[in-house]
């Protein structure tokens, strides 16, 4: 199922994400040589409708070829191009597929052929050795560009702050690429804003270029004034049996049209997320890092509105109805700068 290549197929960097399946046929791991080893591992298109990673990589390669006449990189790069079929269809994943960023080693989902595919990628990379790992995504909703880590460690935080000062630490969901790779090397996820924003592609491209040029990730602490570290405390879902919408519509809950503006803002208690129809039995599914239902800790119904019970900072809140159903409504976070290591 996995295709491995040692060179970039001719003109591949002129191929749009939705045409990659036609060119490559299967999920593909491409090893590109460089001046330094071991390689930087980069994964793109784990979500088929998030082309920023592929667009950043191909613009980096194309620029280097035009400028230097060769694809030779300052450091070797192993590029994993994930869900080509979903990219063709322009969706996160096909209905019959699992989410390609929930099936890496450590996944708690029932075993699928995709689990074996990701295990194979990890095994190959472990054998070859890695410098660092970068998994690149778009997201929905109004979010700043930020990175995520699954391990609090100076080298990982340096890799993260190279992208920007906003860093999110999370442990759930399981089975993500970054958590699997974090066992082998410093690993981050980049969240590069909405699809089609040029700044997202440019930012990711500059970041990859910087990663390819550094000789080592520092072991010393990240100065606490250089980082805004947040910790994801809960994931918020709309239970499948309940309907939702955005005004004007008829549904069990009408979410605020301002929902996406709440991201990365500290919201006070009493903030309304939406209007509830019916007899006050509406409940979101809110699960903490251990999978416990903590809905009553964060939300309550008051005057027909779903309101925050305590101050909290959301991320990735989205109005994209397909994402809400396939993934989640968003996440709740707390500030975590107290946990940035300040001694070696
Ligand atoms: Zn994604």
């Amino acid at each position: 199922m996995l295709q491995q290549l040692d060179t970039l197929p001719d003109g591949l960097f002129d191929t749009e994400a939705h045409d990659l399946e036609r060119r490559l046929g299967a999920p593909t791991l491409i090893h590109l040589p460089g001046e330094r080893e071991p390689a930087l591992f980069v994964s793109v298109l784990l979500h088929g409708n998030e082309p920023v990673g592929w667009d950043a990589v191909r613009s980096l390669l194309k620029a280097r070829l035009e400028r230097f006449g060769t694809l030779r990189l300052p450091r070797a790069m192993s590029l994993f191009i994930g869900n080509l079929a979903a990219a063709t269809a322009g969706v996160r994943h096909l209905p019959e597929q699992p989410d390609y960023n929930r099936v890496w080693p450590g996944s708690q989902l029932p075993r699928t052929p995709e689990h074996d595919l990701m295990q194979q990628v990890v095994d190959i990379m472990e054998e070859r050795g890695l410098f660092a790992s970068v998994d690149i995504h778009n997201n929905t909703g109004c979010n700043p560009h930020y990175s995520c880590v699954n391990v609090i460690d100076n080298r990982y935080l340096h890799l993260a702050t190279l992208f920007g000062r906003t860093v999110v630490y999370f442990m759930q969901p399981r089975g993500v690429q970054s958590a699997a790779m974090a066992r082998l090397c410093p690993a981050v996820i980049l969240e590069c804003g909405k699809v089609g924003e040029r700044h997202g592609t440019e930012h990711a491209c500059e970041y990859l270029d910087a990663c390819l040029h550094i000789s080592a990730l520092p072991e010393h602490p990240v100065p606490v004034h250089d980082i805004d570290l947040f910790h994801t405390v809960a994931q918020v879902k709309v239970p499948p049996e309940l309907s939702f919408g955005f005004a004007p519509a008829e549904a069990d809950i009408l979410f605020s049209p301002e929902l996406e503006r709440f991201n990365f803002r500290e919201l006070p208690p009493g903030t309304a997320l939406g209007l509830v129809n019916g007899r006050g039995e509406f409940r979101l599914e809110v699960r903490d890092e251990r999978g416990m239902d903590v809905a009553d800790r964060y939300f309550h119904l008051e005057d027909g509105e779903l309101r925050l019970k305590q101050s909290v900072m959301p991320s990735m809140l989205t109005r994209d109805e397909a994402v809400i159903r396939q993934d989640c409504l968003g996440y709740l976070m707390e500030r975590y700068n107290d946990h940035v290591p300040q001694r070696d």
Side-chain angles (χ1 to χ4, degrees):
M1 201 171 164
L2 177 71
Q3 166 171 235
Q4 257 193 107
L5 303 173
D6 283 315
T7 51
L8 195 76
D10 264 350
L12 194 72
F13 49 54
D14 289 321
T15 309
E16 302 279 340
H18 58 80
D19 272 336
L20 283 171
E21 188 184 27
R22 206 166 42 80
R23 286 293 312 273
L24 295 172
T28 302
L29 181 59
I30 308 175
H31 304 290
L32 298 172
E35 299 302 321
R36 285 197 182 100
E37 295 272 354
L40 177 72
F41 178 69
V42 179
S43 58
V44 302
L45 288 169
L46 295 188
H47 294 143
N49 56 349
E50 300 174 13
V52 63
W54 170 242
D55 288 342
V57 167
R58 67 196 183 110
S59 95
L60 175 93
L61 295 176
K62 196 169 184 176
R64 287 194 67 84
L65 185 64
E66 278 165 9
R67 192 154 158 224
F68 304 109
T70 166
L71 272 179
R72 194 159 178 85
L73 298 166
R75 176 179 290 283
M77 178 165 84
S78 290
L79 171 67
F80 177 58
I81 309 177
N83 200 338
L84 302 184
T88 303
V91 296
R92 184 181 176 92
H93 60 87
L94 298 178
E96 66 273 20
Q97 291 178 325
D99 185 321
Y100 272 36
N101 203 25
R102 302 289 184 274
V103 291
W104 292 75
S107 171
Q108 291 170 329
L109 298 180
R111 194 106 193 148
T112 62
E114 285 81 1
H115 285 79
D116 298 332
L117 172 73
M118 304 319 172
Q119 182 71 57
Q120 204 186 340
V121 172
V122 171
D123 291 346
I124 291 167
M125 292 315 302
E126 183 170 15
E127 168 132 16
R128 296 176 69 101
L130 298 108
F131 173 66
S133 167
V134 181
D135 180 31
I136 312 179
H137 292 254
N138 285 111
N139 58 34
T140 48
C142 301
N143 296 286
H145 289 180
Y146 64 96
S147 59
C148 301
V149 293
N150 306 102
V151 171
I152 301 286
D153 170 287
N154 290 333
R155 287 177 310 147
Y156 294 57
L157 294 177
H158 277 287
L159 185 66
T161 50
L162 204 57
F163 187 60
R165 56 179 300 121
T166 308
V167 182
V168 174
Y169 164 66
F170 75 89
M171 287 169 65
Q172 286 283 355
R174 304 271 174 185
V176 298
Q177 187 269 29
S178 55
M181 287 301 174
R183 292 193 216 127
L184 307 178
C185 63
V188 294
I189 304 172
L190 306 186
E191 295 285 354
C192 307
K194 291 184 178 179
V195 173
E197 290 173 352
R198 216 173 92 206
H199 177 53
T201 309
E202 287 168 0
H203 192 186
C205 183
E206 285 160 16
Y207 177 84
L208 290 176
D209 193 54
C211 287
L212 290 169
H213 278 92
I214 39 180
S215 56
L217 286 164
E219 305 262 358
H220 62 76
V222 173
V224 86
H225 55 261
D226 284 351
I227 184 167
D228 289 318
L229 184 64
F230 301 99
H231 172 220
T232 301
V233 289
Q235 186 187 43
V236 184
K237 292 186 173 192
V238 181
E241 67 276 12
L242 295 178
S243 61
F244 65 89
F246 292 87
E250 288 263 320
D252 292 322
I253 183 164
L254 289 182
F255 287 116
S256 162
E258 296 294 294
L259 198 65
E260 293 189 359
R261 294 188 184 280
F262 292 160
N263 289 326
F264 285 88
R265 293 219 180 140
E266 240 142 14
L267 303 176
T271 304
L273 266 72
L275 284 171
V276 172
N277 285 317
R279 301 164 309 283
E281 289 177 10
F282 182 89
R283 224 163 155 273
L284 289 172
E285 190 184 310
V286 186
R287 296 203 176 269
D288 71 8
E289 299 254 78
R290 285 162 303 154
M292 304 296 287
D293 187 336
V294 291
D296 296 333
R297 191 185 302 167
Y298 293 103
F299 296 104
H300 66 149
L301 294 180
E302 199 174 50
D303 300 335
E305 290 185 329
L306 181 72
R307 291 183 185 166
L308 278 181
K309 225 173 184 172
Q310 55 165 287
S311 176
V312 79
M313 185 175 315
S315 67
M316 289 181 86
L317 285 176
T318 177
R319 297 187 48 150
D320 186 320
E321 299 187 9
V323 171
I324 295 172
R325 280 294 180 214
Q326 274 200 338
D327 189 25
C328 66
L329 179 67
Y331 295 88
L332 305 178
M333 306 188 298
E334 62 182 7
R335 283 194 180 270
Y336 214 56
N337 264 37
D338 292 354
H339 294 74
V340 177
Q342 286 309 301
R343 283 169 201 282
D344 290 300

